[in-house]
Amino acid sequence: MDQILKGEVALVTGSGRGLGHAVVSRLAEWGAHVAVHDISQEAPAEFGEAKNLDEVAARLTRFGVRTVGVTGDIGNPEAIVELVKRTEAALGPISILANVAGGDIAAKGGKPNPNENLFVAWEDVQAIFNRNLFGTMLCCRAVVPGMLERKRGAVINIGSGDAHTGHVNSGAYAVAKAAIVHYTRTLANQCREHNVRVNAVSPGATVTARFKATRTVDPKFLDESTPLLRFGKPEEVADAIAFLASPLSAHISGQVIRVDGGLQSWPG
Ligand SMILES: NC(=O)c1ccc[n+]([C@@H]2O[C@H](COP(=O)([O-])OP(=O)(O)OC[C@H]3O[C@@H](n4cnc5c(N)ncnc54)[C@H](O)[C@@H]3O)[C@@H](O)[C@H]2O)c1
């Protein structure tokens, strides 16, 4: 796939670490100039993945592309407009937007407790919606109008396996992710006539540094000899997103690809 994205400009939210970092690395490897985004300079250090955001952006220049580090809370509309401006001033008009930032995180950090559907704190529900659904919508509102004018672009939103099942636990997160998947479909329909594609990727459990740090990981699900029965790797999610960002998926829009080893095999 060497250089299939040559000359493209990608903004990947939440790419200082974790899945987002795997995505921004793959897009840079495939030739795109990339904006590495996170909520703060320090976010990549939280689970020991890098010293700071600028270090992550600097490392990616090894692919011979231009890079910039941009910060901002995706729950804050003004911050998003500002970080999009900074990206485009440094790299040019954005042609690929991957909305990866998110997570099942309470208003004061950590997982909500309780985290079911009726008694989860309302401020936690709001924080989860801000960080996932509203952040994704706000980033699209800041970037996609320019794509429509230029008549080209690809948007990839991140759902989750939770978006497609009726879990009791992490209920608000599941609802926000389900809404992201459906927002993807409605936006795809709106953008069709303007040659802008919008798709979603729903990862299953994927081993990132945060994932390892916040739970006990059963080694059975890391066993490489059963590739479809193990947890996913960030690079496997990144490959699906890079495919949806590239001309390899030129006739695909409004779809969701699950990257979960085939755990879910039903429509919707
Ligand atoms: N790892 C998994 O098992 C898994 C499974 C399904 C979906 N996901 C989704 O994949 C995405 C990445 O998850 P991850 O596992 O890499 O976790 P992670 O915590 O390592 O990465 C999330 C990134 O988003 C950033 N972020 C969070 N809230 C933000 C905000 N308000 N403004 C700006 N940046 C913000 C974080 O700082 C971090 O860089 C999330 O949307 C998550 O919901 C992950």
Side-chain angles (χ1 to χ4, degrees), residues 53-210:
L53 195 65
D54 285 342
E55 183 188 83
V56 178
R59 274 194 217 149
L60 292 175
T61 57
R62 72 183 184 279
F63 294 115
V65 298
R66 285 185 285 130
T67 73
V68 65
V70 291
T71 55
D73 184 340
I74 59 157
N76 175 341
E78 289 84 39
I80 293 174
V81 169
E82 194 48 41
L83 75 87
V84 168
K85 264 195 210 152
R86 273 185 282 141
T87 298
E88 297 200 324
L91 304 178
I94 296 168
S95 55
I96 298 168
L97 169 65
N99 286 304
V100 185
D104 185 16
I105 302 171
K108 295 192 174 73
K111 286 246 182 208
N113 183 17
N115 197 13
E116 43 63 86
N117 295 299
L118 299 176
F119 303 107
V120 55
W122 194 243
E123 61 168 356
D124 292 343
V125 174
Q126 288 173 320
I128 288 165
F129 271 68
N130 280 338
R131 194 181 294 279
N132 292 280
L133 177 62
F134 298 148
T136 295
M137 292 173 74
L138 285 168
C139 289
C140 288
R141 288 165 66 95
V143 173
V144 176
M147 292 178 168
L148 299 185
E149 267 172 35
R150 295 185 291 276
K151 299 271 180 230
R152 68 188 304 270
V155 178
I156 304 96
N157 297 324
I158 298 296
S160 166
D162 288 355
H164 310 281
T165 56
H167 276 312
V168 173
N169 215 16
S170 296
Y173 173 74
V175 173
K177 289 297 197 184
I180 288 175
V181 172
H182 202 59
Y183 177 67
T184 299
R185 297 184 181 113
T186 62
L187 185 61
N189 207 6
Q190 179 177 350
C191 295
R192 232 183 131 203
E193 63 183 295
H194 303 284
N195 191 36
V196 173
R197 300 180 300 106
V198 188
N199 290 289
V201 168
S202 278
T206 307
V207 186
T208 59
R210 177 199 54 79

